Amino acid sequence: MRKKDRYSKILAWFEENQPMPATELHHDSPFHLLIAVILSAQCTDKRVNMVVPPIFERFPEPEDLAGASFEEVYQLVKSVSYPNSKATHLIAMARKLVSDFGSEVPSDIDELMSLPGVGRKTANVIASIVYDKPVIAVDTHVFRVSRRLGLSDGKTVDAVRKELEKHIPEHQRAKSHHWLILHGRYVCTARNPKCETCPLVEWCREYERNNNKTS
């Protein structure tokens, strides 16, 4: 199957069956989403969602977090991965929001990446969810699923991101990020992919290769 056709079939299935995908990270403002995404690095959304309610209550605005002590923030995030660095990043991020951006989460990718704790993936998540920017954030799920399905042969996160953005129409990019993440989280899992119940096997390159080996 040509890559162009693979994209067309897979995107069409998602559009029909999951027309309104959304992030599973709990948040009530762009600032709180930024906190949640920073905390989610190498950590599950489930864990982050358990941790954030008291953080959101204690720090409703960037000014509140900017004035917090490391120990106070650390106590609230200590159950996530890399709590020391994340506590440091959260405080520094809030301070930069206040000093450089008038306490508003910027929409520009480069400006987002200037914030402590924010790399390309986090910036793309915020830009796509909050501002509906036509960008795709590639995490471990998106990377794995894209290569298994045959949507990309990229060997790096950035290579996969560029190929996805090349082939996916702008109006579908923000949704595609969620489609691929959720598919990787619940169906095309890392260790035991649920191929027997996967609705995309008809167009999956990995499934096709495995079947050809055993036939």
Side-chain angles (χ1 to χ4, degrees), residues 30-51:
F31 172 56
H32 284 167
L33 177 62
L34 182 53
I35 290 175
V37 178
I38 289 174
L39 290 176
S40 72
Q42 299 185 46
C43 186
T44 65
D45 286 5
K46 182 178 180 180
R47 166 56 56 184
V48 172
N49 288 338
M50 293 170 62
V51 168

Side-chain angles (χ1 to χ4, degrees), residues 127-142:
S128 64
I129 294 175
V130 177
Y131 299 107
D132 201 30
K133 295 271 188 175
V135 293
I136 295 178
V138 178
D139 68 352
T140 55
H141 295 303
V142 175

Side-chain angles (χ1 to χ4, degrees), residues 29-181:
S29 70
F31 172 56
H32 284 167
L33 177 62
L34 182 53
I35 290 175
V37 178
I38 289 174
L39 290 176
S40 72
Q42 299 185 46
C43 186
T44 65
D45 286 5
K46 182 178 180 180
R47 166 56 56 184
V48 172
N49 288 338
M50 293 170 62
V51 168
V52 293
I55 297 176
F56 294 169
E57 182 178 359
R58 173 65 185 83
F59 309 117
E61 302 295 339
E63 291 85 354
D64 303 305
L65 181 54
S69 68
F70 169 83
E71 186 58 31
E72 182 180 12
V73 177
Y74 174 81
Q75 288 301 319
L76 293 170
V77 305
K78 63 183 180 181
S79 65
V80 303
S81 57
Y82 307 105
N84 286 288
S85 61
K86 288 180 179 179
T88 301
H89 285 152
L90 288 177
I91 296 170
M93 173 273 290
R95 289 176 178 171
K96 192 171 181 67
L97 278 182
V98 173
S99 65
D100 293 10
F101 301 105
S103 299
E104 296 293 329
V105 176
S107 61
D108 180 79
I109 296 294
D110 290 333
E111 290 182 346
L112 282 165
M113 290 177 63
S114 74
L115 298 169
V118 177
R120 169 70 68 172
K121 186 196 78 172
T122 297
N124 280 9
V125 170
I126 299 300
S128 64
I129 294 175
V130 177
Y131 299 107
D132 201 30
K133 295 271 188 175
V135 293
I136 295 178
V138 178
D139 68 352
T140 55
H141 295 303
V142 175
F143 185 82
R144 177 179 69 253
V145 170
S146 298
R147 287 169 52 83
R148 281 183 179 171
L149 288 175
L151 299 178
S152 176
D153 296 306
K155 292 180 171 56
T156 67
V157 165
D158 204 47
V160 170
R161 175 185 64 80
K162 289 178 180 178
E163 189 161 10
L164 292 175
E165 290 181 355
K166 174 183 176 182
H167 291 282
I168 297 175
E170 287 194 2
H171 72 279
Q172 286 184 310
R173 288 178 192 168
K175 291 194 291 187
S176 294
H177 162 71
H178 298 303
W179 284 334
L180 295 172
I181 282 179

